[in-house]
């Protein structure tokens, strides 16, 4: 355990894809604290420890004993079995990246968890130094950790956190969308690299431009570009006619319902 809370010791229970991109983003962002990994997924733990300067603990309890902050990065169905025999210190912070489980759900499974239990599930793009890190409830120490990885946004209610988490699923949908457009360009004759760069840098430019216009509604930006007589408006009207945007709303509603049932 460290007394230096500028670089607290972080322990991770559940070593898989999430732990891999989270530790990578922490190190790239300049986090210098010790990181202890659960040894259960031995091959992945060994790889992450070598790539991102982490330490593999003896067992799950050893992770907790050596850490200031513990991150739970497991699937929801694994939560009861993981927490059943573990003991925490009252002054520790537990961050949970368990999707679909409320704070109350965690205490129902393990009442012995510390008082400070924080939900935080960042998107995989934090490995590139970009992306939202939703946090509930607000906590300065967790926000400091998150700041190494992306853009932390704290919420005062679990309802708002779940809304943000729903939109995080959008990343996977966007890659499929980008892929569809690059495939179209390739079919029309562009090389794979050209198609990829055209699409991704167009998207990157669009988001950078929108972030710059922070006081303007996004729909108003569209209105400035898709004016009468433009090809942009031609395509936009076709997308609306084909319910292209309604489908996204439906997907968000469906995922939100699943997350909060």
């Amino acid at each position: 355990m460290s007394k230096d809370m500028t670089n607290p010791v972080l322990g991770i229970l559940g070593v898989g894809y999430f732990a891999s991109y989270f530790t990578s983003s922490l190190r790239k962002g300049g986090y210098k604290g010790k990181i202890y990994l659960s040894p259960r997924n031995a091959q992945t733990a060994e790889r992450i420890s070598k790539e991102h300067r982490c330490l593999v603990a003896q067992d799950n309890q050893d992770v907790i004993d050596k850490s200031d902050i513990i991150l739970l990065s497991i699937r929801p169905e694994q939560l009861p079995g993981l927490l059943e025999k573990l003991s925490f210190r009252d002054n520790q912070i537990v961050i949970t990246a368990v999707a679909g489980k409320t704070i109350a759900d965690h205490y129902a499974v393990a009442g012995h968890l510390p008082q400070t239990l924080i939900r935080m599930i960042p998107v995989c793009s934090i490995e590139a130094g970009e992306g939202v890190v939703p946090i509930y409830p607000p906590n300065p120490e967790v926000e400091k950790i998150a700041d190494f990885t992306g853009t932390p946004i704290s919420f005062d209610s679990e309802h708002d956190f779940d809304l943000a988490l729903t939109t995080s699923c959008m990343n996977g949908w966007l890659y499929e969308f980008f892929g569809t457009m690059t495939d179209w360009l390739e079919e029309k004759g562009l090389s794979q690299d050209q198609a990829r760069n055209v699409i991704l840098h167009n998207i990157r430019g669009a988001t950078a431009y929108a972030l710059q216009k922070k006081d303007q509604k996004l729909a108003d930006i569209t209105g400035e570009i898709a004016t009468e007589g433009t090809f942009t408006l031609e395509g936009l009207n076709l997308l609306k006619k084909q319910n292209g945007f309604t489908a996204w709303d439906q997907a968000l509603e469906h995922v939100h319902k699943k997350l909060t049932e």
Side-chain angles (χ1 to χ4, degrees):
M1 187 179 71
S2 169
K3 292 182 179 179
D4 177 16
M5 288 308 284
T6 58
N7 281 290
V9 177
L10 178 67
I12 301 178
L13 299 178
V15 180
Y17 178 56
F18 179 94
S20 181
Y21 73 71
F22 188 69
T23 53
S24 174
S25 66
L26 280 172
R27 292 309 192 201
K28 287 177 181 177
Y31 179 74
K32 301 187 187 309
K34 290 182 179 178
I35 302 175
Y36 284 95
L37 304 174
S38 166
R40 185 165 182 178
N41 191 347
Q43 189 173 357
T44 302
E46 187 63 28
R47 176 183 61 79
I48 294 175
S49 70
K50 289 179 179 178
E51 292 178 357
H52 307 308
R53 306 187 310 279
C54 302
L55 301 164
V56 181
Q58 295 177 8
D59 52 36
N60 287 340
Q61 187 60 56
D62 189 41
V63 171
I64 295 170
D65 292 344
K66 290 177 175 175
S67 303
D68 301 303
I69 299 175
I70 298 96
L71 172 66
L72 307 179
S73 60
I74 56 174
R75 292 191 299 272
E77 66 272 16
Q78 296 175 318
L79 192 63
L82 174 73
L83 297 179
E84 187 178 6
K85 297 180 181 179
L86 298 177
S87 59
F88 298 82
R89 299 187 301 277
D90 291 339
N91 65 341
Q92 287 180 306
I93 296 172
V94 175
I95 302 172
T96 174
V98 182
K101 293 294 183 182
T102 65
I103 298 289
D105 289 336
H106 284 71
Y107 284 116
V109 167
H112 58 282
L113 284 166
Q115 184 176 358
T116 307
L117 176 62
I118 310 295
R119 294 181 72 188
M120 182 191 79
I121 308 182
V123 293
C124 62
S125 61
I126 61 169
E127 192 168 0
E130 295 281 352
V132 174
V133 187
I135 296 169
Y136 169 79
N139 180 278
E141 299 302 329
V142 175
E143 287 159 9
K144 286 177 186 176
I145 291 284
D147 201 41
F148 286 105
T149 68
T151 303
I153 301 178
S154 294
F155 298 93
D156 293 323
S157 76
E158 208 154 17
H159 170 269
D160 292 352
F161 174 88
D162 284 329
L163 286 175
L165 184 56
T166 300
T167 63
S168 296
C169 298
M170 178 182 64
N171 280 37
W173 312 340
L174 285 172
Y175 295 129
E176 183 77 12
F177 174 47
F178 302 161
T180 299
M181 290 191 289
T182 56
D183 288 346
W184 182 84
L185 288 174
E186 287 181 52
E187 288 171 4
K188 297 297 182 182
L190 290 191
S191 70
Q192 188 178 64
D193 284 347
Q194 287 174 328
R196 183 183 176 92
N197 283 328
V198 165
I199 295 302
L200 293 182
H201 285 282
N202 259 319
I203 299 297
R204 186 175 185 176
T207 57
Y209 184 69
L211 285 169
Q212 179 179 287
K213 291 181 167 288
K214 61 180 70 175
D215 296 328
Q216 191 172 10
K217 289 185 176 181
L218 297 178
D220 290 342
I221 298 176
T222 298
E224 291 178 349
I225 299 169
T227 56
E228 197 64 40
T230 62
F231 295 121
T232 303
L233 183 59
E234 288 270 342
L236 183 64
N237 286 339
L238 183 59
L239 285 168
K240 290 180 177 178
K241 185 178 180 180
Q242 298 294 331
N243 296 319
F245 298 110
T246 304
W248 286 78
D249 285 343
Q250 291 172 346
L252 288 168
E253 288 286 355
H254 175 79
V255 171
H256 184 251
K257 183 179 179 181
K258 289 286 186 181
L259 277 170
T260 56
E261 279 181 343

